[in-house]
Amino acid sequence: MKSIEWIGAKVKIIDQTRLPMEEIYIETADHRVVAEAIRKLKIRGAPAIGIAAAFGFALGACEFHGEDKGKFHEHLARVKETLASTRPTAVNLFWALERMERVLQTYSSGSVGALKALLVEEAVRIQKEDVEKCRRIGEFGVQLVPEKAGILTHCNTGALATGDYGTAQSIITSAHVHGKQIRVYVDETRPLLQGARLTMWELSTLGIDATLITDNAAAFLMKKGFIHLVVVGADRIAKNGDVANKIGTYNLAVLAEKHRIPFYVAAPTSSIDFKIANGEAIPIEERDPSEITEAFGKRIAPRGVKVYSPAFDITPNELVTAIVTEMGVCRPPFSESIPALESAQETID
């Protein structure tokens, strides 16, 4: 099951807002529909957002008719702006758009038709690379999971959030495949219940022993000794190891430190923003108040109440035990290990 695919000259997206009750797909050749799907969380998860942005850019290229390269570039500048305006926190979105832009600039001497083909190839390549990255995250991360471990995870980090396999969930799946007899505890993840709706659906499909808990039950489970490690994903990681992830992640990191439980972050290197020094520079998206005041079509708070609804929080690097990437396990001091990752990546490129 893939969250997003390029099929012919169209993009096919599973509408995650309809899961788990309905499995509905969106097929489109319009980059604006992809942008709206990102904005409305029909496609979500940092790596999947990056893939969607690349696919949307490629669709935008294919929408252009004519051979005037100046107008083609102007058109794609507008396409990029539309896609970039959807969600501010997940760096994969901007990383993917910059990568597509580089292809456009590198081969600018080619015809419009040739450029369209190259952009489609690059978008598909981004997805294929993400699948391999997620698989490798699982291979490195499984080494951190003890036998018969209780694992707490937050939000959704599986195939729905990536090209396939997942980030934090790739570690969980790998541990299951290796026969480690794990038990997974899944935060419901208010207010949009990605844990309850999406992670539980994926883990059930995979046959992994999983138990759904309320967000505010985590401390009690830790105290009782049910949790041996916490594994989460990331939407953006600063150069010093500060981590932006779904709201509630910081809570878990504080609780894990209190109970002396390892707190692991799993993310591809495309989620590391090597340009920013720390988490203070990460923009935090604020969502519509209705996501808190309403649930399943019913109002659950008085009308007119004040609402603050950040979609993400920042976990300080000192609370992170390690960051698992496709290039290996990155450990403190992150001020040294993360720049080393950047250098290694530049060597590969």
Side-chain angles (χ1 to χ4, degrees):
M1 189 243 357
K2 292 186 180 296
S3 60
I4 183 167
E5 292 181 275
W6 183 276
I7 301 176
K10 292 185 178 182
V11 172
K12 182 178 179 181
I13 300 169
I14 186 168
D15 185 347
Q16 298 185 35
T17 64
R18 308 289 288 271
L19 291 171
M21 304 310 294
E22 297 179 290
E23 193 169 325
I24 304 295
Y25 290 85
I26 301 163
E27 288 193 29
T28 183
D30 189 337
H31 76 277
R32 291 163 296 187
V33 174
V34 174
E36 189 65 6
I38 296 171
R39 185 178 288 107
K40 296 291 187 181
L41 306 185
K42 295 178 181 182
I43 179 80
R44 41 142 303 281
I49 289 173
I51 295 165
F55 282 179
F57 195 92
L59 284 180
C62 294
E63 290 165 16
F64 183 82
H65 299 290
E67 291 299 325
D68 187 320
K69 284 200 289 186
K71 291 182 178 179
F72 180 60
H73 282 265
E74 290 174 4
H75 167 72
L76 284 178
R78 293 191 293 271
V79 169
K80 182 180 178 181
E81 184 179 355
T82 297
L83 292 163
S85 68
T86 53
R87 301 195 69 190
T89 302
V91 73
N92 298 67
L93 185 150
F94 306 100
W95 168 85
L97 290 175
E98 288 171 6
R99 185 162 156 178
M100 297 294 284
E101 182 75 26
R102 282 199 301 273
V103 170
L104 188 63
Q105 298 303 325
T106 301
Y107 300 98
S108 59
S109 61
S111 67
V112 169
L115 286 170
K116 288 180 181 181
L118 286 169
L119 289 169
V120 171
E121 288 175 11
E122 186 70 4
V124 172
R125 187 179 297 114
I126 285 172
Q127 181 177 38
K128 288 180 178 178
E129 288 177 4
D130 185 73
V131 173
E132 178 60 20
K133 288 176 182 178
C134 289
R135 185 188 65 79
R136 289 180 61 81
I137 286 171
E139 290 180 353
F140 286 116
V142 72
Q143 302 167 34
L144 305 174
V145 181
E147 295 287 343
K148 299 182 179 180
I151 304 173
L152 176 62
T153 193
H154 188 62
C155 197
N156 173 258
T157 60
L160 289 171
T162 63
D164 203 354
Y165 295 108
T167 53
Q169 193 165 302
S170 181
I171 296 173
I172 291 168
T173 302
S174 294
H176 173 70
V177 170
H178 280 72
K180 291 197 170 184
Q181 298 181 3
I182 56 171
R183 301 179 308 284
V184 183
Y185 295 91
V186 180
D187 275 349
E188 58 182 342
T189 318
R190 282 279 294 149
L192 298 180
L193 304 175
Q194 293 97 327
R197 294 188 303 106
L198 306 179
T199 300
M200 287 301 295
W201 183 68
E202 288 197 66
L203 294 178
S204 298
T205 301
L206 293 169
I208 295 175
D209 183 2
T211 300
L212 180 64
I213 64 171
T214 60
D215 290 348
N216 49 11
F220 183 61
L221 269 66
M222 290 181 183
K223 184 178 180 181
K224 290 184 70 69
F226 292 175
I227 309 298
H228 303 104
L229 67 155
V230 180
V231 184
V232 301
D235 285 81
R236 189 183 302 213
I237 301 171
K239 200 166 185 176
N240 72 336
D242 291 348
V243 175
N245 193 49
K246 182 57 57 185
I247 191 72
T249 302
Y250 181 29
N251 302 37
L252 296 182
V254 171
L255 292 172
E257 182 187 48
K258 169 67 177 178
H259 294 87
R260 299 180 181 179
I261 295 170
F263 182 89
Y264 297 117
V265 175
T269 50
S270 56
S271 294
I272 301 175
D273 191 339
F274 297 106
K275 299 176 183 177
I276 61 171
N278 56 58
E280 292 297 318
I282 298 176
I284 298 299
E285 176 185 4
E286 291 186 35
R287 300 291 299 174
D288 192 299
S290 65
E291 293 179 355
I292 291 181
T293 60
E294 300 174 12
F296 305 106
K298 294 184 178 180
R299 190 163 188 89
I300 58 174
R303 295 188 182 280
V305 298
K306 294 180 180 179
V307 174
Y308 177 48
S309 182
F312 306 95
D313 56 28
I314 306 294
T315 299
N317 60 52
E318 61 265 25
L319 298 180
V320 178
T321 307
I323 299 170
V324 186
T325 77
E326 79 278 9
M327 298 177 71
V329 179
C330 189
R331 295 185 179 276
F334 295 117
S335 59
E336 297 176 6
S337 56
I338 288 180
L341 275 181
E342 183 179 22
S343 298
Q345 197 174 47
E346 289 172 352
T347 301
I348 294 170
D349 293 343

